[in-house]
Amino acid sequence: MQPNLNFLVVDDFSTMRRIIKNLLHDLGYANVTEADDGKTALPLLKDGNFDFLITDWNMPGMPGLELLKQVRADARLAKLPVLMLTAEAKREQIVEAAQAGVSGYVIKPFTAATLKEKIDKILAARAAA
Amino acid sequence: MTTPAQEFDLYAPWVTAMSRALDDGDGDGFRTALAAFDQSRNAEVTQQVRRIAIDLHGALERFRIESKLIDLAQHQVPDARHRLAHVLRLTDDAAHRTMDLVERCCPLADQLAEQAEQLILAYDAEGSAPTLKPQLLAFLKQAGTSMAAVRSNLAEVLLAQGYQDLSGQIIRSVMTLVAELEEALGELVRIAGPVGAATGCSAEAGVARGHGPAVPGINHGHAVSGQQDVDALLSDLGM
């Protein structure tokens, strides 16, 4: 558990951002920043010092998959853990996200336990690498 | 409509027959040719009138459907858009209101749990010593106040769910409009006849931008049925 990690939560619905932010707070992560799509998230990621990205897929402007690809294409951000938290549940989409380098994939509706499990797993894998 | 060449072919035999009968002084032959000539003219006129009637009927039907579509496109569709935007606001407001209330309840619950834990520790250390009494009373008072606040917040959470009724009514009216639109467009397609292959949006664009939440009965390809399926699929992919 590293409470000082900086999270960026990207979702076009403010309610969902708030739910995720609350769950992260409950998990002990207090540093959470929000963005409402990939276009606003990318400059934040490039300028900021984020340790973890949680993003939706279906968003106006830049969708989550494109954001993931841009993150992986950026040398400084390439290793950033990216958790896709989305209602997109088609097999080919999950495969595409995996091929684009997603670190974890959680489908909505989700539980607090699932979110915790995936974050822990991604952070453990990162620590082991 | 008959062309002059077709008219010539159609009437020439009768006119020739009449001319011949006239030359021959054949009164009966002339009348027979004239009657046949008349009949062919009438048949042609009847056919043209029938064609005009069909065209007129088609035009009236098109006009009726087009007027309906114009009304739908100019008034009802923009109205529906505003109504759906209102649904979005209603659901957004209700969700935030609920979360506000939950966020107000959580610290009260945390505080009580913490105080209870401290009391247990104190009790374990001091037993039922009278020094514990003020602390215990303060806790009970705090519990009463906090629970009253939680109870009032929960009542408001309940009220906030009223959005479902309002948004449900609006969505139902928009569903009726979509059905009308579907019917009018269907009739228009029927009148227009086959118009070649329909052009849909490409599946490629759908994958990149996303399909949105899975809706029972609407299929955009193979969907996973839950988080376990996602985990299994990712595990198959070596993740």
Side-chain angles (χ1 to χ4, degrees), chain B residues 65-121:
Chain B
I65 293 164
E66 277 167 12
S67 311
K68 197 168 158 191
L69 273 175
I70 287 167
D71 178 53
L72 285 169
Q74 284 186 339
H75 306 292
Q76 300 199 41
V77 170
D79 270 6
R81 218 175 44 234
H82 290 308
R83 283 184 213 168
L84 289 179
H86 184 58
V87 166
L88 210 57
R89 268 197 304 277
L90 276 177
T91 53
D92 188 77
D93 287 350
H96 278 297
R97 178 88 190 111
T98 305
M99 283 191 272
D100 283 344
L101 293 160
V102 168
E103 282 175 8
R104 265 191 242 160
C105 288
C106 285
L108 297 176
D110 289 344
Q111 201 184 7
L112 274 189
E114 199 182 318
Q115 285 176 352
E117 207 176 306
Q118 281 170 2
L119 263 182
I120 291 169
L121 287 176

Side-chain angles (χ1 to χ4, degrees), chain A:
Chain A
M1 173 72 208
Q2 302 151 273
N4 293 325
L5 290 182
N6 290 313
F7 280 76
L8 180 64
V9 173
V10 189
D11 198 303
D12 52 332
F13 278 87
S14 61
T15 45
M16 185 44 71
R17 292 199 302 270
R18 195 168 164 187
I19 289 170
I20 299 167
K21 197 173 176 175
N22 268 297
L23 290 173
L24 288 173
H25 280 186
D26 286 350
L27 294 175
Y29 300 111
N31 306 328
V32 182
T33 307
E34 299 177 32
D36 58 9
D37 85 323
K39 240 178 221 165
T40 47
L42 203 57
L44 289 174
L45 286 166
K46 287 188 173 173
D47 296 342
N49 195 22
F50 288 100
D51 304 297
F52 208 109
L53 170 64
I54 297 181
T55 182
D56 185 20
W57 183 316
N58 191 350
M59 296 179 286
M62 187 194 291
L65 183 71
E66 181 58 27
L67 177 63
L68 170 64
K69 287 177 179 171
Q70 300 254 5
V71 164
R72 291 292 174 250
D74 184 297
R76 206 176 67 81
L77 299 172
K79 300 242 183 276
L80 180 73
V82 180
L83 177 67
M84 193 79 89
L85 185 53
T86 172
E88 302 300 326
K90 306 286 169 282
R91 300 181 79 85
E92 74 260 26
Q93 291 177 297
I94 299 166
V95 171
E96 189 162 4
Q99 284 165 350
V102 81
S103 319
Y105 199 103
V106 172
I107 52 166
K108 297 174 184 171
F110 62 100
T111 63
T114 305
L115 182 66
K116 178 181 170 13
E117 183 199 323
K118 300 304 165 198
I119 291 174
D120 288 350
K121 213 173 197 173
I122 293 168
L123 290 177
R126 193 182 68 154

Side-chain angles (χ1 to χ4, degrees), chain B residues 216-227:
Chain B
I218 295 178
N219 186 18
H220 286 293
H222 295 294
V224 294
S225 63
Q227 188 62 42

